[in-house]
Amino acid sequence: MARSIFEDKYYHKANRNQLVALLRNRGITDESVLNAMNQVPRHFFLDNAFEKHAYQDKAFPIGEGQTISQPYTVAYQTQLLQVKKNDKVLEVGTGSIYQATILAELGAWVFTIERQKKLYEFNQQQYCFKNKYLNIKFFYGDGFIGLPTYAPFDKIIITAAAPFIPPKLIEQLKVGGIMVLPVDQEGGEEQTMMRLTKQADGTLLEEQFESFSFVPMLSGKNG
Ligand code: SAH
């Protein structure tokens, strides 16, 4: 894994414009999300070998058997999360930091957890290019446990396939807060995108959306 192309050239910007047009065509309507996707150079988050393909609507390998999510998936989850400036957001599954950076671009305070030590360490090293985004904090840990020290959060986003709704994360969500996560469908390869809103009495308002395919959310740290 080598990332050294931290230059944002005219053709990157042109390709990004096309990607945003495609996302709009696929039904993403939130202008703040589309604008964030237009601002953040996705090729910064990929191995150099994929630089030319960074603005295709595809997932790519990022090492340790993990993937950077497809742009449509990132836009879709971000739109459901209804991020507002200064929201405290917990992300499970840092991966390439692309999703975390989109949240940071929207003005959120991002707390992101990764369970793969190599990815976590690589991210720490590579992060220097983004001095622009000082509002992301990195953690090496297990997303099933979350970050009780930093709770409660306005928003929680899980970017790996959850086998069930993690109860500890519900505890760490503010009343009125929103959690967006892909939950495994029974016996299937796919997950249903869910949005949970915590009500004043502690119960959850549950909404279901499209199906997606994520790498699994696994418990415990690796490394
Ligand atoms: N948001 C990422 C998507 C990465 S794929 C991006 O924008 O690139 C999902 C990531 O979740 C993987 O890196 C995987 O290692 C991590 N992951 C899986 N289970 C986890 C858990 N329990 N806690 C924290 N991270 C987890």
Side-chain angles (χ1 to χ4, degrees):
M1 182 87 176
R3 280 189 224 155
S4 59
I5 303 171
F6 291 145
E7 253 183 295
D8 195 24
K9 299 204 172 130
Y10 76 91
Y11 64 87
H12 294 125
K13 291 187 176 119
N15 289 346
R16 212 146 61 231
N17 272 318
Q18 284 184 358
L19 172 65
V20 168
L22 181 145
L23 295 173
R24 213 185 272 283
N25 271 338
R26 285 198 66 181
I28 303 298
T29 52
D30 186 327
E31 289 299 327
S32 66
V33 173
L34 292 166
N35 181 55
M37 304 281 299
N38 216 347
Q39 293 300 319
V40 177
R42 189 174 184 248
H43 64 283
F44 286 8
F45 301 84
L46 290 167
D47 189 280
N48 295 345
F50 298 116
E51 182 228 341
K52 296 273 181 298
H53 310 288
Y55 298 101
Q56 293 176 6
D57 192 19
K58 286 187 184 158
F60 290 104
I62 54 169
E64 306 308 306
Q66 306 304 319
T67 55
I68 180 172
S69 302
Q70 195 180 330
Y72 175 68
T73 309
V74 172
Y76 194 94
Q77 276 197 287
T78 310
Q79 175 165 284
L80 287 179
L81 206 58
Q82 298 173 358
V83 180
K84 294 187 187 66
K85 201 170 164 33
N86 288 323
D87 269 356
K88 251 174 84 181
V89 182
L90 172 66
E91 182 198 24
V92 174
T94 316
S96 69
I97 342 180
Y98 179 64
Q99 170 74 73
T101 307
I102 295 289
L103 298 169
E105 177 68 33
L106 286 164
W109 298 95
V110 184
F111 298 74
T112 184
I113 317 179
E114 175 56 57
R115 69 177 287 279
Q116 293 274 359
K117 192 158 200 190
K118 286 206 177 125
L119 283 178
Y120 166 76
E121 283 171 351
F122 182 75
N123 284 339
Q124 292 278 338
Q125 290 161 16
Q126 294 280 315
Y127 193 63
C128 47
F129 77 90
K130 275 186 253 98
N131 286 330
K132 203 179 152 195
Y133 299 105
L134 296 172
N135 45 339
I136 305 180
K137 266 181 179 290
F138 296 92
F139 298 86
Y140 169 52
D142 180 356
F144 281 104
I145 294 165
L147 291 173
T149 325
Y150 294 87
F153 297 96
D154 297 292
K155 309 279 160 71
I156 299 178
I157 176 171
I158 301 184
T159 65
F164 52 83
I165 299 168
K168 290 199 171 128
L169 298 190
I170 298 300
E171 285 169 22
Q172 292 168 36
L173 189 62
K174 276 186 193 168
V175 167
I178 294 176
M179 175 154 144
V180 173
L181 75 165
V183 182
D184 278 343
Q185 291 166 359
E186 223 170 303
E189 298 280 299
E190 299 206 306
Q191 300 88 43
T192 305
M193 193 62 77
M194 291 186 73
R195 176 164 64 187
L196 312 174
T197 307
K198 197 169 185 175
Q199 313 285 95
D201 64 1
T203 60
L204 297 172
L205 175 75
E206 288 193 14
E207 297 168 278
Q208 294 197 358
F209 298 90
E210 288 175 23
S211 293
F212 290 87
S213 181
F214 284 77
V215 295
M217 180 175 179
L218 303 170
S219 57
K221 292 193 268 191
N222 186 7

